[in-house]
Amino acid sequence: MVTENFIMLSDEAPASGTRKPVMQGIGAGRYEYRVWPQDAPPAVALLQQFWPLVGAERRTDLYFLTDQSPVKLVKLRAGNRLEVKRRDHDLGPLQHWTHQAYPEFPLSRPALRALAGALGLTRLLPEAGQSAGHLVASLGNAVPAILPMTVNKSRLRFRVGSSRAEICRVTIAGWSRLTLAVEESDPDSALATLDALHLGHLPNRSYGDVLCRRQLAAEPSPLTSYPVN
């Protein structure tokens, strides 16, 4: 029997390693396809029945939404580790994203300048780099173009070969929705996976797309969402 009620494992501690002065390297990127169905599609049953489960977690991320979030998304992973994702091109129904992780707090001055650029700001005050709390406090009402949004995630992760998939329950300020995603470095393999899971007919919307839509539904703001080709 397939169920949407998941028992989650505890969060993993951030990996430790040699700190780098600005950011850890930009990955080669991957093709992503994420859907937010009203009802559970057949892919939920297919993943739970036929794909090996490789991990589960419950996590709270803090996204910093701007009018560029559908193509450049900044977040605090688990509330303490900065990450930036950039969408550079689409291939059919697939979106291609590159990922960049920042070093742990406190941030160096070059890292703080890079973060300001990712948020569309000319600069951030030096104290913003001391901790995640300092960063959130430094934005506050002083930067109305940036909206922090807390997103709770309860996620199951599956893998077959190089293809990764997830079933995730997302909760934002009382609003909750199931989301499914496929990630793959090879676009042909990703498209084959979509066919196997019967997902290709649903619109591909990233976290940036959906979170900006949620904000627009809550109150008028300059946030916009647009496709990239």
Side-chain angles (χ1 to χ4, degrees), residues 16-97:
S16 60
T18 303
R19 289 188 57 182
K20 296 188 178 182
V22 180
M23 285 161 285
Q24 295 177 354
I26 300 176
R30 61 195 179 200
Y31 292 93
E32 299 185 11
Y33 182 87
R34 180 174 295 277
V35 298
W36 305 74
Q38 292 281 356
D39 301 305
V44 172
L46 293 173
L47 286 171
Q48 293 195 38
Q49 291 177 1
F50 301 114
W51 282 54
L53 178 68
V54 297
E57 64 178 343
R58 180 179 287 120
R59 197 176 79 215
T60 299
D61 293 341
L62 182 64
Y63 287 83
F64 297 102
L65 300 183
T66 73
D67 60 356
Q68 291 295 305
S69 290
V71 294
K72 185 165 53 180
L73 193 57
V74 182
K75 73 176 180 183
L76 276 169
R77 178 185 176 92
N80 57 32
R81 189 64 176 263
L82 279 164
E83 295 181 357
V84 178
K85 289 179 65 177
R86 289 178 171 84
R87 179 178 169 188
D88 47 19
H89 66 272
D90 293 349
L91 182 61
L94 304 174
Q95 298 176 358
H96 189 267
W97 292 83

Side-chain angles (χ1 to χ4, degrees), residues 128-140:
Q130 293 303 305
S131 71
H134 283 82
L135 173 61
V136 176
S138 71
L139 295 175

Side-chain angles (χ1 to χ4, degrees), residues 33 93 194-195 197-203:
Y33 182 87
L194 295 187
D195 288 341
L197 294 175
H198 308 295
L199 279 179
H201 64 289
L202 297 172

